[in-house]
Coordinates of all heavy atoms in Angstrom, one line a residue:
M1 N -20.4 -3.4 -12.7 CA -19.3 -2.8 -12.1 C -18.0 -3.3 -12.9 O -17.9 -4.5 -13.2 CB -19.2 -3.1 -10.6 CG -17.9 -2.5 -10.0 SD -17.8 -2.9 -8.2 CE -18.9 -1.8 -7.5
D2 N -17.1 -2.4 -13.1 CA -15.8 -2.8 -13.7 C -15.1 -3.9 -12.9 O -15.0 -3.8 -11.7 CB -14.9 -1.5 -13.7 CG -13.6 -1.7 -14.4 OD1 -13.1 -2.8 -14.5 OD2 -13.0 -0.7 -14.7
P3 N -14.6 -4.9 -13.6 CA -14.0 -6.0 -12.9 C -12.8 -5.6 -12.0 O -12.5 -6.2 -11.0 CB -13.5 -7.0 -14.1 CG -14.3 -6.6 -15.2 CD -14.7 -5.1 -15.1
C4 N -12.1 -4.6 -12.4 CA -10.9 -4.1 -11.6 C -11.4 -3.5 -10.3 O -10.6 -3.5 -9.3 CB -10.1 -3.1 -12.4 SG -9.3 -3.8 -13.8
R5 N -12.6 -3.0 -10.3 CA -13.1 -2.5 -9.0 C -13.9 -3.5 -8.2 O -14.1 -3.3 -7.0 CB -14.1 -1.3 -9.3 CG -13.4 -0.1 -10.0 CD -14.4 0.9 -10.2 NE -13.7 2.0 -11.0 CZ -14.4 3.0 -11.5 NH1 -15.7 3.1 -11.4 NH2 -13.7 3.9 -12.1
R6 N -14.2 -4.6 -8.8 CA -15.0 -5.6 -8.1 C -14.2 -6.4 -7.1 O -14.7 -6.7 -6.0 CB -15.5 -6.6 -9.2 CG -16.7 -7.4 -8.7 CD -17.3 -8.3 -9.8 NE -17.6 -7.5 -11.0 CZ -17.5 -7.9 -12.2 NH1 -17.2 -9.2 -12.4 NH2 -17.8 -7.1 -13.2
S7 N -13.0 -6.7 -7.3 CA -12.2 -7.5 -6.4 C -12.0 -6.8 -5.0 O -12.2 -7.5 -4.0 CB -10.8 -7.8 -7.0 OG -10.9 -8.6 -8.1
P8 N -11.6 -5.6 -4.9 CA -11.5 -5.0 -3.6 C -12.9 -5.0 -2.9 O -12.9 -5.2 -1.6 CB -11.0 -3.6 -3.8 CG -10.4 -3.6 -5.2 CD -11.1 -4.7 -6.0
V9 N -13.9 -4.8 -3.6 CA -15.3 -4.7 -3.0 C -15.6 -6.1 -2.4 O -16.1 -6.3 -1.3 CB -16.4 -4.2 -4.0 CG1 -17.7 -4.4 -3.4 CG2 -16.1 -2.8 -4.3
L10 N -15.3 -7.2 -3.2 CA -15.6 -8.5 -2.8 C -14.7 -8.9 -1.6 O -15.2 -9.5 -0.6 CB -15.3 -9.5 -3.9 CG -16.3 -9.5 -5.1 CD1 -15.8 -10.4 -6.2 CD2 -17.7 -9.9 -4.6
A11 N -13.4 -8.5 -1.6 CA -12.6 -8.7 -0.4 C -13.1 -8.1 0.8 O -13.1 -8.6 1.9 CB -11.2 -8.3 -0.7
W12 N -13.5 -6.8 0.7 CA -14.1 -6.1 1.8 C -15.3 -6.7 2.3 O -15.5 -6.9 3.5 CB -14.4 -4.6 1.4 CG -15.2 -3.9 2.4 CD1 -14.7 -3.2 3.5 CD2 -16.6 -3.7 2.4 NE1 -15.7 -2.7 4.2 CE2 -16.9 -2.9 3.6 CE3 -17.6 -4.0 1.6 CZ2 -18.1 -2.5 3.9 CZ3 -18.9 -3.7 1.9 CH2 -19.2 -2.9 3.1
A13 N -16.2 -7.1 1.4 CA -17.5 -7.8 1.8 C -17.2 -9.1 2.5 O -17.9 -9.4 3.5 CB -18.4 -8.0 0.6
E14 N -16.3 -9.9 2.0 CA -16.0 -11.2 2.6 C -15.4 -10.9 4.0 O -15.7 -11.7 4.9 CB -15.1 -12.0 1.8 CG -15.8 -12.6 0.6 CD -17.0 -13.5 1.0 OE1 -16.8 -14.4 1.9 OE2 -18.1 -13.4 0.4
G15 N -14.6 -9.9 4.1 CA -14.0 -9.6 5.4 C -15.0 -9.2 6.4 O -14.9 -9.5 7.6
R16 N -16.0 -8.5 6.0 CA -17.1 -8.1 6.9 C -18.0 -9.3 7.3 O -18.5 -9.3 8.4 CB -18.0 -7.0 6.2 CG -17.3 -5.7 5.8 CD -17.2 -4.8 6.9 NE -18.5 -4.4 7.4 CZ -18.7 -3.8 8.6 NH1 -17.7 -3.5 9.3 NH2 -19.9 -3.5 9.0
R17 N -18.1 -10.2 6.4 CA -19.0 -11.4 6.6 C -18.3 -12.4 7.5 O -18.9 -13.1 8.3 CB -19.4 -12.0 5.3 CG -20.4 -13.1 5.3 CD -20.7 -13.7 4.0 NE -19.6 -14.4 3.4 CZ -19.2 -15.6 3.7 NH1 -19.9 -16.3 4.6 NH2 -18.2 -16.2 3.1
C18 N -16.9 -12.5 7.3 CA -16.2 -13.6 8.0 C -15.1 -13.0 8.8 O -14.0 -12.6 8.3 CB -15.6 -14.5 6.9 SG -14.6 -15.8 7.5
P19 N -15.3 -12.9 10.1 CA -14.3 -12.2 11.0 C -12.9 -12.9 10.9 O -11.9 -12.3 11.0 CB -14.9 -12.3 12.4 CG -16.4 -12.4 12.1 CD -16.5 -13.2 10.8
S20 N -12.9 -14.2 10.8 CA -11.6 -14.9 10.7 C -10.8 -14.5 9.5 O -9.6 -14.4 9.5 CB -11.7 -16.4 10.8 OG -12.4 -16.9 9.7
L21 N -11.5 -14.3 8.4 CA -10.8 -13.9 7.2 C -10.3 -12.4 7.3 O -9.2 -12.1 6.9 CB -11.8 -13.9 6.0 CG -11.2 -13.5 4.6 CD1 -10.1 -14.4 4.2 CD2 -12.3 -13.5 3.6
A22 N -11.1 -11.6 8.0 CA -10.7 -10.2 8.3 C -9.4 -10.2 9.1 O -8.5 -9.4 8.9 CB -11.8 -9.4 8.9
R23 N -9.4 -11.1 10.2 CA -8.2 -11.2 11.0 C -7.0 -11.6 10.2 O -5.9 -11.1 10.4 CB -8.4 -12.1 12.2 CG -9.2 -11.5 13.3 CD -9.2 -12.4 14.6 NE -9.8 -13.7 14.3 CZ -11.1 -14.0 14.3 NH1 -12.0 -13.0 14.6 NH2 -11.6 -15.2 14.1
Q24 N -7.1 -12.6 9.3 CA -6.0 -13.1 8.5 C -5.5 -12.0 7.6 O -4.3 -11.8 7.5 CB -6.5 -14.3 7.7 CG -6.7 -15.6 8.4 CD -7.2 -16.7 7.6 OE1 -7.6 -16.5 6.4 NE2 -7.2 -17.9 8.1
F25 N -6.4 -11.2 7.0 CA -6.0 -10.1 6.1 C -5.3 -9.1 6.9 O -4.3 -8.5 6.5 CB -7.3 -9.6 5.4 CG -6.9 -8.6 4.4 CD1 -6.3 -8.9 3.2 CD2 -7.3 -7.2 4.5 CE1 -5.9 -8.0 2.2 CE2 -7.0 -6.3 3.6 CZ -6.3 -6.7 2.4
N26 N -5.8 -8.7 8.1 CA -5.2 -7.7 9.0 C -3.8 -8.2 9.4 O -2.9 -7.4 9.4 CB -6.0 -7.4 10.2 CG -7.2 -6.5 9.8 OD1 -7.1 -5.7 8.9 ND2 -8.3 -6.6 10.5
D27 N -3.7 -9.5 9.7 CA -2.3 -10.0 10.1 C -1.4 -9.9 8.9 O -0.2 -9.6 9.1 CB -2.5 -11.5 10.5 CG -3.2 -11.6 11.9 OD1 -3.3 -10.6 12.6 OD2 -3.6 -12.7 12.2
L28 N -1.9 -10.2 7.7 CA -1.0 -10.1 6.5 C -0.6 -8.7 6.3 O 0.6 -8.5 6.0 CB -1.8 -10.6 5.3 CG -1.1 -10.4 3.9 CD1 0.1 -11.3 3.8 CD2 -2.1 -10.8 2.8
L29 N -1.5 -7.8 6.4 CA -1.1 -6.3 6.2 C -0.1 -5.9 7.3 O 0.8 -5.1 7.0 CB -2.4 -5.5 6.2 CG -3.2 -5.5 4.9 CD1 -4.5 -4.6 5.1 CD2 -2.5 -5.1 3.7
A30 N -0.3 -6.3 8.5 CA 0.6 -6.0 9.6 C 2.0 -6.5 9.2 O 3.0 -5.7 9.4 CB 0.1 -6.5 10.9
Q31 N 2.1 -7.7 8.7 CA 3.4 -8.2 8.4 C 4.0 -7.5 7.2 O 5.2 -7.2 7.2 CB 3.3 -9.7 8.1 CG 4.6 -10.4 7.8 CD 5.6 -10.3 9.0 OE1 5.2 -10.8 10.1 NE2 6.8 -9.8 8.8
M32 N 3.2 -7.1 6.2 CA 3.7 -6.4 5.1 C 4.2 -5.0 5.6 O 5.3 -4.6 5.1 CB 2.6 -6.2 4.1 CG 2.3 -7.5 3.3 SD 0.8 -7.3 2.3 CE 1.2 -6.0 1.1
R33 N 3.4 -4.3 6.4 CA 3.9 -3.0 6.9 C 5.2 -3.2 7.7 O 6.1 -2.3 7.6 CB 2.8 -2.4 7.8 CG 1.7 -1.7 7.1 CD 0.8 -0.9 8.0 NE 0.3 -1.7 9.1 CZ -0.9 -2.4 9.1 NH1 -1.6 -2.4 8.0 NH2 -1.3 -3.0 10.1
S34 N 5.3 -4.2 8.5 CA 6.5 -4.4 9.3 C 7.7 -4.6 8.4 O 8.8 -4.0 8.6 CB 6.3 -5.6 10.2 OG 7.5 -5.9 10.9
D35 N 7.6 -5.5 7.4 CA 8.7 -5.8 6.4 C 9.0 -4.5 5.7 O 10.2 -4.2 5.5 CB 8.3 -6.9 5.5 CG 8.1 -8.2 6.2 OD1 8.6 -8.4 7.3 OD2 7.5 -9.1 5.5
L36 N 8.0 -3.8 5.2 CA 8.3 -2.6 4.4 C 8.9 -1.5 5.3 O 9.8 -0.8 4.8 CB 7.0 -2.1 3.8 CG 7.1 -1.0 2.8 CD1 8.1 -1.3 1.7 CD2 5.7 -0.7 2.1
A37 N 8.5 -1.4 6.5 CA 9.1 -0.4 7.5 C 10.6 -0.7 7.6 O 11.4 0.2 7.7 CB 8.4 -0.5 8.8
E38 N 11.0 -2.0 7.6 CA 12.4 -2.3 7.8 C 13.2 -1.8 6.5 O 14.3 -1.3 6.6 CB 12.6 -3.8 7.9 CG 14.0 -4.2 8.4 CD 14.4 -3.5 9.6 OE1 13.6 -3.3 10.6 OE2 15.6 -3.1 9.7
V39 N 12.6 -2.0 5.4 CA 13.2 -1.5 4.1 C 13.3 0.1 4.2 O 14.3 0.6 3.8 CB 12.4 -1.9 2.9 CG1 12.9 -1.3 1.6 CG2 12.5 -3.4 2.7
V40 N 12.2 0.7 4.6 CA 12.2 2.2 4.7 C 13.3 2.6 5.7 O 14.1 3.6 5.4 CB 10.9 2.7 5.2 CG1 10.9 4.1 5.5 CG2 9.8 2.4 4.1
R41 N 13.5 1.9 6.9 CA 14.5 2.3 7.8 C 15.9 2.2 7.2 O 16.7 3.1 7.5 CB 14.4 1.4 9.1 CG 13.4 1.9 10.1 CD 13.6 1.2 11.4 NE 13.0 -0.1 11.4 CZ 11.6 -0.3 11.4 NH1 10.8 0.7 11.6 NH2 11.2 -1.6 11.4
E42 N 16.1 1.2 6.4 CA 17.4 1.1 5.7 C 17.7 2.3 4.8 O 18.7 2.9 4.8 CB 17.5 -0.2 5.0 CG 18.8 -0.4 4.3 CD 20.0 -0.4 5.2 OE1 19.9 -0.9 6.4 OE2 21.1 0.0 4.7
H43 N 16.6 2.7 4.1 CA 16.8 3.8 3.2 C 16.9 5.1 4.0 O 17.7 6.0 3.5 CB 15.6 3.9 2.2 CG 15.6 3.0 1.1 ND1 16.3 3.2 -0.1 CD2 15.2 1.7 1.0 CE1 16.2 2.2 -0.9 NE2 15.5 1.2 -0.3
Q44 N 16.3 5.2 5.1 CA 16.5 6.4 6.0 C 17.9 6.4 6.5 O 18.5 7.5 6.5 CB 15.5 6.4 7.2 CG 14.1 6.7 6.8 CD 13.1 6.6 7.9 OE1 13.2 5.6 8.7 NE2 12.2 7.5 8.0
R45 N 18.5 5.3 6.9 CA 19.9 5.3 7.4 C 20.8 5.7 6.3 O 21.8 6.4 6.5 CB 20.3 3.8 7.8 CG 19.8 3.5 9.2 CD 20.4 2.2 9.7 NE 19.8 1.0 9.1 CZ 18.7 0.4 9.5 NH1 18.1 0.8 10.6 NH2 18.3 -0.7 8.9
R46 N 20.5 5.4 5.0 CA 21.4 5.7 3.9 C 21.1 7.2 3.4 O 21.8 7.6 2.5 CB 21.2 4.8 2.7 CG 21.6 3.4 3.1 CD 21.4 2.5 1.9 NE 21.8 1.1 2.2 CZ 21.7 0.1 1.4 NH1 21.2 0.3 0.1 NH2 22.1 -1.1 1.7
G47 N 20.1 7.8 3.9 CA 19.8 9.2 3.5 C 18.9 9.3 2.4 O 18.7 10.4 1.9
G48 N 18.3 8.2 1.9 CA 17.4 8.2 0.8 C 16.0 8.6 1.1 O 15.2 9.0 0.2
L49 N 15.6 8.6 2.4 CA 14.3 9.0 2.8 C 14.4 9.9 4.0 O 15.4 9.7 4.8 CB 13.4 7.7 3.1 CG 13.0 6.9 1.9 CD1 12.3 5.6 2.4 CD2 12.0 7.7 1.1
P50 N 13.5 10.7 4.2 CA 13.5 11.7 5.4 C 13.4 11.0 6.7 O 12.8 9.9 6.8 CB 12.4 12.6 5.2 CG 11.4 11.9 4.3 CD 12.2 10.9 3.5
H51 N 14.0 11.6 7.7 CA 14.0 11.0 9.1 C 12.9 11.6 9.9 O 12.6 11.1 11.0 CB 15.3 11.2 9.8 CG 16.4 10.5 9.3 ND1 16.7 9.1 9.6 CD2 17.4 10.8 8.3 CE1 17.7 8.7 8.9 NE2 18.2 9.7 8.2
D52 N 12.3 12.7 9.4 CA 11.2 13.4 10.2 C 9.9 12.7 10.1 O 8.9 13.1 10.7 CB 11.1 14.8 9.8 CG 10.8 15.1 8.3 OD1 11.0 14.1 7.5 OD2 10.4 16.1 8.0
V53 N 9.8 11.6 9.4 CA 8.6 10.8 9.3 C 9.0 9.4 9.7 O 10.0 8.9 9.2 CB 8.0 10.8 7.9 CG1 6.7 9.9 7.8 CG2 7.7 12.2 7.4
T54 N 8.2 8.7 10.5 CA 8.6 7.4 11.0 C 8.5 6.4 9.8 O 7.7 6.5 8.9 CB 7.7 6.9 12.1 OG1 6.4 6.7 11.6 CG2 7.6 7.8 13.3
A55 N 9.4 5.4 9.9 CA 9.4 4.3 8.9 C 8.0 3.6 8.8 O 7.5 3.3 7.8 CB 10.5 3.3 9.2
E56 N 7.4 3.5 10.0 CA 6.1 2.8 10.0 C 5.0 3.6 9.3 O 4.2 3.1 8.6 CB 5.6 2.6 11.5 CG 6.5 1.6 12.2 CD 7.9 2.0 12.6 OE1 8.1 3.3 12.6 OE2 8.7 1.2 13.0
A57 N 5.1 5.0 9.4 CA 4.1 5.8 8.7 C 4.3 5.8 7.2 O 3.4 5.7 6.5 CB 4.2 7.3 9.2
I58 N 5.6 5.8 6.8 CA 5.9 5.7 5.4 C 5.4 4.4 4.8 O 4.8 4.3 3.8 CB 7.4 5.9 5.1 CG1 7.8 7.4 5.4 CG2 7.7 5.6 3.6 CD1 9.3 7.6 5.4
A59 N 5.7 3.3 5.6 CA 5.3 2.0 5.1 C 3.8 1.9 5.0 O 3.2 1.3 4.0 CB 5.8 0.9 6.1
A60 N 3.0 2.4 6.0 CA 1.6 2.4 6.0 C 1.1 3.2 4.8 O 0.1 2.7 4.1 CB 1.0 3.0 7.3
A61 N 1.7 4.3 4.5 CA 1.2 5.1 3.3 C 1.5 4.4 2.0 O 0.6 4.4 1.1 CB 2.0 6.5 3.3
L62 N 2.6 3.7 1.9 CA 2.9 2.9 0.7 C 1.9 1.8 0.5 O 1.5 1.5 -0.6 CB 4.3 2.4 0.7 CG 5.4 3.5 0.5 CD1 6.8 2.9 0.8 CD2 5.3 4.1 -0.9
I63 N 1.6 1.1 1.6 CA 0.6 0.0 1.6 C -0.8 0.5 1.0 O -1.4 -0.2 0.3 CB 0.4 -0.7 2.9 CG1 1.7 -1.4 3.4 CG2 -0.8 -1.6 2.9 CD1 2.1 -2.5 2.5
W64 N -1.1 1.7 1.4 CA -2.4 2.3 0.9 C -2.3 2.7 -0.6 O -3.3 2.6 -1.3 CB -2.8 3.5 1.7 CG -3.4 3.1 3.0 CD1 -2.9 3.0 4.3 CD2 -4.8 2.7 3.2 NE1 -3.8 2.6 5.2 CE2 -5.0 2.4 4.5 CE3 -5.9 2.6 2.3 CZ2 -6.2 2.0 5.1 CZ3 -7.1 2.2 2.8 CH2 -7.2 1.9 4.2
V65 N -1.1 3.3 -1.0 CA -1.0 3.9 -2.3 C -0.7 2.8 -3.4 O -1.3 2.9 -4.5 CB 0.1 5.0 -2.3 CG1 0.4 5.4 -3.7 CG2 -0.4 6.1 -1.4
L66 N 0.2 1.9 -3.1 CA 0.6 1.0 -4.2 C -0.4 0.1 -4.8 O -0.4 -0.1 -6.0 CB 1.8 0.1 -3.6 CG 3.1 0.8 -3.4 CD1 4.1 -0.1 -2.7 CD2 3.6 1.5 -4.6
P67 N -1.4 -0.4 -4.1 CA -2.5 -1.2 -4.7 C -3.3 -0.4 -5.8 O -3.9 -1.0 -6.6 CB -3.3 -1.7 -3.6 CG -2.5 -1.6 -2.4 CD -1.6 -0.4 -2.6
V68 N -3.3 0.9 -5.7 CA -4.0 1.7 -6.7 C -3.1 2.1 -7.8 O -3.4 2.1 -9.0 CB -4.6 3.0 -6.0 CG1 -5.3 3.9 -7.0 CG2 -5.6 2.5 -4.9
Y69 N -1.8 2.5 -7.4 CA -0.9 3.0 -8.4 C -0.4 2.0 -9.4 O -0.4 2.2 -10.6 CB 0.3 3.6 -7.6 CG 1.4 4.2 -8.4 CD1 1.2 5.3 -9.2 CD2 2.7 3.6 -8.5 CE1 2.1 5.9 -10.0 CE2 3.7 4.2 -9.3 CZ 3.4 5.3 -10.0 OH 4.4 5.9 -10.8
I70 N -0.1 0.8 -8.9 CA 0.5 -0.2 -9.8 C -0.5 -0.6 -10.9 O -0.1 -0.7 -12.1 CB 1.0 -1.4 -9.0 CG1 2.2 -1.0 -8.2 CG2 1.3 -2.6 -9.9 CD1 2.7 -2.0 -7.2
P71 N -1.8 -0.9 -10.6 CA -2.7 -1.3 -11.7 C -2.9 -0.1 -12.7 O -3.1 -0.4 -13.9 CB -4.0 -1.6 -10.9 CG -3.6 -1.9 -9.6 CD -2.4 -1.1 -9.3
Q72 N -2.8 1.1 -12.2 CA -2.9 2.2 -13.1 C -1.8 2.2 -14.1 O -2.0 2.4 -15.3 CB -3.0 3.6 -12.4 CG -4.3 3.8 -11.7 CD -4.3 5.2 -11.1 OE1 -3.6 6.1 -11.6 NE2 -5.1 5.4 -10.1
L73 N -0.6 1.9 -13.6 CA 0.6 1.8 -14.5 C 0.4 0.7 -15.5 O 0.8 0.8 -16.7 CB 1.8 1.7 -13.7 CG 2.4 2.9 -13.0 CD1 3.6 2.5 -12.2 CD2 2.7 4.0 -13.9
A74 N -0.1 -0.4 -15.1 CA -0.3 -1.6 -15.9 C -1.4 -1.4 -17.0 O -1.2 -1.9 -18.1 CB -0.6 -2.8 -15.1
M75 N -2.4 -0.7 -16.6 CA -3.6 -0.6 -17.5 C -3.7 0.7 -18.3 O -4.3 0.7 -19.4 CB -4.9 -0.8 -16.7 CG -5.0 -2.1 -16.1 SD -6.6 -2.3 -15.3 CE -6.4 -1.3 -13.8
L76 N -3.1 1.7 -17.9 CA -3.2 3.0 -18.5 C -1.9 3.4 -19.2 O -0.9 2.8 -19.1 CB -3.6 4.1 -17.5 CG -4.9 3.7 -16.8 CD1 -5.2 4.8 -15.7 CD2 -6.1 3.7 -17.7
V77 N -2.0 4.5 -19.9 CA -0.8 5.0 -20.6 C 0.3 5.4 -19.6 O -0.1 5.8 -18.5 CB -1.2 6.2 -21.6 CG1 -2.1 5.7 -22.7 CG2 -1.8 7.3 -20.8
P78 N 1.5 5.4 -20.0 CA 2.6 5.8 -19.1 C 2.5 7.2 -18.6 O 3.0 7.5 -17.5 CB 3.9 5.6 -19.9 CG 3.5 4.6 -21.0 CD 2.0 4.8 -21.3
A79 N 1.8 8.1 -19.3 CA 1.7 9.4 -18.8 C 1.0 9.6 -17.5 O 1.1 10.6 -16.8 CB 0.9 10.3 -19.9
V80 N 0.3 8.5 -17.1 CA -0.4 8.5 -15.8 C 0.6 8.7 -14.7 O 0.4 9.4 -13.6 CB -1.1 7.2 -15.5 CG1 -1.5 7.0 -14.1 CG2 -2.3 7.1 -16.4
A81 N 1.9 8.3 -14.9 CA 2.9 8.4 -13.8 C 3.6 9.7 -13.9 O 4.4 10.0 -12.9 CB 3.9 7.3 -14.0
D82 N 3.4 10.5 -14.9 CA 4.1 11.8 -14.9 C 3.8 12.7 -13.7 O 2.7 12.9 -13.3 CB 3.6 12.6 -16.2 CG 4.1 12.0 -17.5 OD1 4.9 11.1 -17.4 OD2 3.7 12.5 -18.5
G83 N 4.9 13.0 -13.0 CA 4.8 13.9 -11.9 C 4.5 13.2 -10.6 O 4.5 13.9 -9.5
V84 N 4.2 11.9 -10.6 CA 3.8 11.2 -9.4 C 4.9 11.2 -8.4 O 4.8 11.5 -7.2 CB 3.2 9.8 -9.7 CG1 3.0 9.0 -8.4 CG2 1.9 9.9 -10.4
A85 N 6.1 10.8 -8.8 CA 7.3 10.8 -7.9 C 7.6 12.1 -7.3 O 7.8 12.2 -6.0 CB 8.5 10.3 -8.7
D86 N 7.5 13.2 -8.0 CA 7.8 14.5 -7.5 C 6.7 14.9 -6.5 O 6.9 15.5 -5.4 CB 7.8 15.6 -8.6 CG 9.1 15.4 -9.4 OD1 10.1 14.8 -9.0 OD2 9.0 15.8 -10.6
T87 N 5.4 14.5 -6.8 CA 4.3 14.8 -5.9 C 4.5 14.1 -4.6 O 4.3 14.7 -3.5 CB 3.0 14.5 -6.6 OG1 2.9 15.2 -7.8 CG2 1.8 14.8 -5.6
V88 N 4.8 12.8 -4.6 CA 4.9 12.0 -3.4 C 6.1 12.5 -2.6 O 6.0 12.6 -1.4 CB 5.1 10.5 -3.8 CG1 5.5 9.7 -2.6 CG2 3.8 9.9 -4.4
Q89 N 7.2 12.9 -3.3 CA 8.3 13.4 -2.6 C 8.0 14.7 -1.9 O 8.4 15.0 -0.7 CB 9.5 13.6 -3.5 CG 10.7 14.0 -2.8 CD 12.0 14.0 -3.7 OE1 11.8 13.9 -4.9 NE2 13.1 14.1 -3.1
A90 N 7.2 15.5 -2.5 CA 6.7 16.8 -1.9 C 5.9 16.6 -0.7 O 5.9 17.4 0.2 CB 6.0 17.7 -3.0
L91 N 5.0 15.5 -0.7 CA 4.2 15.3 0.4 C 5.0 14.8 1.6 O 4.7 15.1 2.7 CB 3.1 14.2 0.0 CG 2.1 14.6 -1.0 CD1 1.2 13.4 -1.4 CD2 1.3 15.8 -0.5

């Protein structure tokens, strides 16, 4: 298996094996979502993000998307990012 794909699988497997690790990871993600939601709310207040979607929902979506998007930018050609911002904005 590709080393870049191995880490998430190992993290998932360890979380399944060790409930306390899964709780710690869930707590970390909850804090990240909360912090990011506060940033999103600020952008919503300034008019940079829509108000018809909750800050929490946007933060949760970003938490899901960024771990995949950032490594692609780092490892692949810049053309990978072409159109992504417009697509995300359209969604």
Side-chain angles (χ1 to χ4, degrees):
M1 179 182 280
D2 180 343
C4 294
R5 294 181 185 169
R6 198 173 309 149
S7 294
V9 172
L10 289 173
W12 171 81
E14 285 301 312
R16 299 281 296 166
R17 188 181 68 78
C18 179
S20 65
L21 181 61
R23 279 191 301 278
Q24 288 176 349
F25 187 68
N26 284 330
D27 290 346
L28 172 66
L29 285 177
Q31 185 62 54
M32 288 171 60
R33 279 191 306 272
S34 175
D35 293 344
L36 190 53
E38 193 55 42
V39 172
V40 169
R41 274 191 283 284
E42 180 60 31
H43 283 273
Q44 286 175 319
R45 281 191 283 274
R46 294 180 182 180
L49 288 171
H51 292 276
D52 58 341
V53 180
T54 68
E56 291 76 14
I58 293 172
L62 288 172
I63 294 294
W64 279 99
V65 171
L66 290 176
V68 175
Y69 180 65
I70 291 172
Q72 285 185 29
L73 286 177
M75 294 183 290
L76 303 174
V77 295
V80 168
D82 288 352
V84 171
D86 292 335
T87 302
V88 170
Q89 188 171 9
L91 294 174

